[in-house]
Amino acid sequence: MAAAAVLAAAVPVAAPAYASSAQRGTVVSVRHLTGMSADQTRTSLRTNGFDASAVRRGVDEYQVVYRTVDPRHRPTTASGLLVLPRGGDRSLRTVSFAHGTESFRPDVPSTNTEPFVTSPPVTYAAAGFAAVAPDYLGMGEGPGTHPWMDVPSETTASLDLLRAARDVAARHGRTLRRDVLATGFSQGASAALGLGRALRGGADDWFRLTALAPVSGAYDFSGVELPAILSSGDDKTTVAYTTYLLVSWNRLHHLYRDPADIFRAPYAGRVDALFDGDTPGNVMLDQLPDSLRELLTDKGFALLRHPSPRFAAALRVADAVCDWHPGVPTRLYRATGDEQVPTVNTDRCTTAFAAYGEHPTVVELGTPEYEGSRHLGSAVAATAATVRWFASLR
């Protein structure tokens, strides 16, 4: 949840008055953000701790604002990043990269200069792919608040960005082929699975899923994540994730009437504002306690231990991200000792896939670190691994 500089020209875009199924993915605006030669791209990636060995091309980055729908299928807009390689083939395969958790609106691919969120799509584009990275709803240039870990809206935002990117690429003389290689990190692992499932189910007339590579995902909230939260309550990151989950899902699923029922004072009066998209991540962390005991009331703990019917129904949706048959080459990536997402999540995902006759390869990334975190390190290591794997698939 690192804070980052906002591009000076970024201006929020209001939701359109309508968005039929035919209009989803329609481009609202495009802005060229930056361009780099191949040498500049290598230097940027290496300087920021990412592997540059796959770089073959320079890149151009574009912010795309496009029409999509909100969790209730009402019209809205969202933004995302499109990165195109300079030169090379005119017809490109597309990598869709879904980023990890951010709570501050600007800390996403199309409005962020922080290299952690932009280096993966830059890596894929520099290797010769078209790369797209959705900001998700309520982030970047999108209006409203972000529905965190809501797989259905992550899916529609990701799919509609692909459609918009196809149009933008054509304006630059490039054709996006049907092939989509879907990957994502942490929160984005579930988003990538949601997109893959939609493409596999024929959600788009053009794009089709050809490979799937989620990284360090929380695939089992009911069986893994909630027990882990309750057993490691004296941890600031756990406190932040728990608050984000309850606040965001209350907006979507009405889990409680009054924040004071779930959160202790003084936090009950501030949690909604801390996760409104306009509070920098470091400020949010400073305004939260260091332990769940300080954060939650007895009712708050009871909701986590024994989810209400509405909460349980929402959890079932989140937990179903691996309950389908990809039918394409699939790899799941994880790091040993991930301090934020227990690696048993990956085991649960492979078990779920097995029930559908799918047996993905689990790639052990070892113990990579980025800024002292193995969870973040897994994103860096997996970017290097997936770009090589994607390039080998023809």
Side-chain angles (χ1 to χ4, degrees), residues 36-385:
M36 295 184 288
S37 68
D39 285 342
Q40 289 171 326
T41 303
R42 291 187 188 96
T43 298
S44 174
L45 292 174
R46 288 169 180 158
T47 299
N48 296 305
F50 282 76
D51 185 0
S53 62
V55 173
R56 300 291 181 269
R57 302 285 175 184
V59 300
D60 283 290
E61 301 178 34
Y62 302 89
Q63 179 191 77
V64 182
V65 179
Y66 58 98
R67 300 186 192 278
T68 187
V69 290
D70 72 7
R72 293 176 176 81
H73 288 270
R74 298 173 301 194
T76 189
T77 57
S79 56
L81 182 69
L82 168 65
V83 191
L84 294 175
R86 291 182 169 180
D89 294 339
R90 310 306 293 176
S91 177
L92 304 171
R93 293 183 295 165
T94 305
V95 174
S96 177
F97 170 78
H99 67 80
T101 296
E102 300 291 352
S103 63
F104 187 38
R105 193 182 308 277
D107 288 351
V108 290
S110 86
T111 55
N112 193 346
T113 57
E114 207 283 326
F116 184 77
V117 296
T118 55
S119 290
V122 167
T123 297
Y124 299 123
F129 299 94
V132 294
D135 293 335
Y136 308 141
L137 297 182
M139 302 294 277
E141 300 291 340
T145 56
H146 173 52
W148 185 63
M149 289 301 299
D150 179 54
V151 176
S153 66
E154 292 168 352
T155 299
T156 53
S158 300
L159 177 58
D160 291 341
L161 176 59
L162 280 172
R163 294 164 170 161
R166 186 183 177 199
D167 182 358
V168 175
R171 299 179 190 183
H172 292 84
R174 314 300 282 273
T175 300
L176 298 192
R177 290 161 50 182
R178 299 187 68 189
D179 304 342
V180 175
L181 305 100
T183 184
F185 162 67
S186 194
Q187 175 187 357
S190 291
L193 287 163
L195 173 63
R197 180 172 54 191
L199 292 174
R200 183 68 173 159
D204 189 80
D205 292 337
W206 177 253
F207 292 110
R208 64 184 180 190
L209 181 68
T210 55
L212 188 61
V215 181
S216 300
Y219 311 117
D220 186 354
F221 258 83
S222 300
V224 176
E225 290 302 309
L226 291 186
I229 284 171
L230 291 167
S231 66
S232 60
D234 293 332
D235 176 84
K236 193 80 164 185
T237 301
T238 297
V239 169
Y241 280 136
T242 303
T243 310
Y244 206 177
L245 175 68
L246 293 172
V247 168
S248 179
W249 284 24
N250 186 58
R251 292 169 180 152
L252 289 173
H253 308 295
H254 309 295
L255 305 182
Y256 52 84
R257 292 184 179 180
D258 187 338
D261 292 336
I262 302 297
F263 301 101
R264 296 185 182 276
Y267 309 108
R270 66 177 67 154
V271 291
D272 282 319
L274 293 180
F275 292 95
D276 63 359
D278 297 323
T279 303
N282 59 335
V283 175
M284 176 270 291
L285 289 171
D286 286 343
Q287 293 294 310
L288 288 175
D290 294 327
S291 71
L292 286 183
R293 293 191 305 275
E294 298 172 84
L295 176 72
L296 298 178
T297 64
D298 289 345
K299 286 185 178 180
F301 276 108
L303 182 62
L304 296 180
R305 292 191 179 104
H306 306 289
S308 65
R310 286 179 175 175
F311 193 16
L315 288 167
R316 285 194 293 272
V317 173
D319 292 345
V321 290
C322 301
D323 291 344
W324 58 290
H325 179 62
V328 298
T330 301
R331 293 185 176 184
L332 305 179
Y333 295 79
R334 66 182 178 187
T336 303
D338 187 319
E339 78 285 356
Q340 293 189 33
V341 176
T343 56
V344 69
N345 275 285
T346 300
D347 297 328
R348 297 294 176 85
C349 187
T350 58
T351 299
F353 276 144
Y356 290 83
E358 188 74 39
H359 300 281
T361 300
V362 175
V363 179
E364 304 288 354
L365 297 169
T367 57
E369 291 197 2
Y370 184 88
E371 296 184 351
S373 167
R374 289 188 185 176
H375 184 61
L376 299 182
S378 71
V380 178
T383 299

